[in-house]
Amino acid sequence: MSLILLADEVCKASSYFYGFFGAVIALVFAAFGSAYGVAKNGIGICVTGSKKPEQVMKSVIPAIMASIVGIYGLIISIVTATTLGETNYSSYKSFADLAAGISVGLSGIGAGVSLGIVGDAGVRASAQQPRVFTGMLFDLNLCRSTWYLWPHCWVDLNTKNNKREMLCCSLI
């Protein structure tokens, strides 16, 4: 009887809520950051197109970089949601998925906003001085590098074999 109570305590039904919430946070916040970055870059593309129409296609690069942030958020949320079908989904794993979703989502907002601001300013500046374009690409890669750190946090949280997670497997 005590093993059943312990299994219910470790593998609560609310664990699925926290896991799904982590997946949703990763997707929604990364998509919000991506949408903001693309919209902000779109303004710069329109300004550049009115001044120098021949540079419009080159000005699309920051918007493409911003849209990739949303794709990464989608990938992380799909991978997180696929682990929710396990029968031994413990509270530890659910809180790890929630923490990973928060870290991925909030870093997606930060990366999208920074890509939007730098991309907009860089596209407008490259319309006036074409030599600025290379520096803008370098700055965009620095903005994107903040995003690349947090999926590593997600991988670390989801691949650790913790005894609490394994406890649920052994009791059921």
Side-chain angles (χ1 to χ4, degrees):
M1 185 71 172
S2 64
L3 286 177
I4 293 172
L5 291 176
L6 186 59
D8 288 340
E9 187 65 30
V10 174
C11 305
K12 293 181 181 179
S14 63
S15 297
Y16 293 101
F17 169 77
Y18 294 115
F20 275 116
F21 196 57
V24 166
I25 286 175
L27 177 63
V28 169
F29 285 170
F32 178 75
S34 176
Y36 180 83
V38 170
K40 187 79 170 158
N41 282 315
I43 296 168
I45 292 168
C46 290
V47 170
T48 302
S50 64
K51 291 181 181 177
K52 292 194 175 180
E54 65 274 2
Q55 287 189 350
V56 170
M57 291 310 290
K58 193 163 70 168
S59 301
V60 175
I61 293 172
I64 292 171
M65 286 181 165
S67 65
I68 291 172
V69 172
I71 294 170
Y72 288 148
L74 176 67
I75 291 169
I76 295 295
S77 66
I78 287 173
V79 172
T80 300
T82 56
T83 62
L84 294 172
E86 300 172 356
T87 57
N88 56 354
Y89 193 69
S90 66
S91 295
Y92 172 81
K93 180 79 168 127
S94 69
F95 288 123
D97 285 340
L98 178 64
I102 290 171
S103 66
V104 167
L106 292 180
S107 66
I109 287 178
V113 168
S114 65
L115 284 168
I117 292 170
V118 171
D120 180 33
V123 164
R124 290 180 190 209
S126 67
Q128 295 174 358
Q129 176 58 259
R131 291 187 292 181
V132 175
F133 186 76
T134 306
M136 179 196 64
L137 289 179
F138 180 71
D139 288 342
L140 287 172
N141 281 325
L142 290 176
C143 293
R144 223 172 34 152
S145 67
T146 60
W147 165 252
Y148 288 137
L149 297 175
W150 291 106
H152 293 294
C153 173
W154 177 84
V155 168
D156 286 342
L157 285 171
N158 279 302
T159 56
K160 299 290 183 194
N161 287 330
N162 196 318
K163 291 181 181 178
R164 292 182 185 175
E165 184 179 349
M166 301 309 287
L167 180 64
C168 187
C169 296
S170 63
L171 293 177
I172 292 178

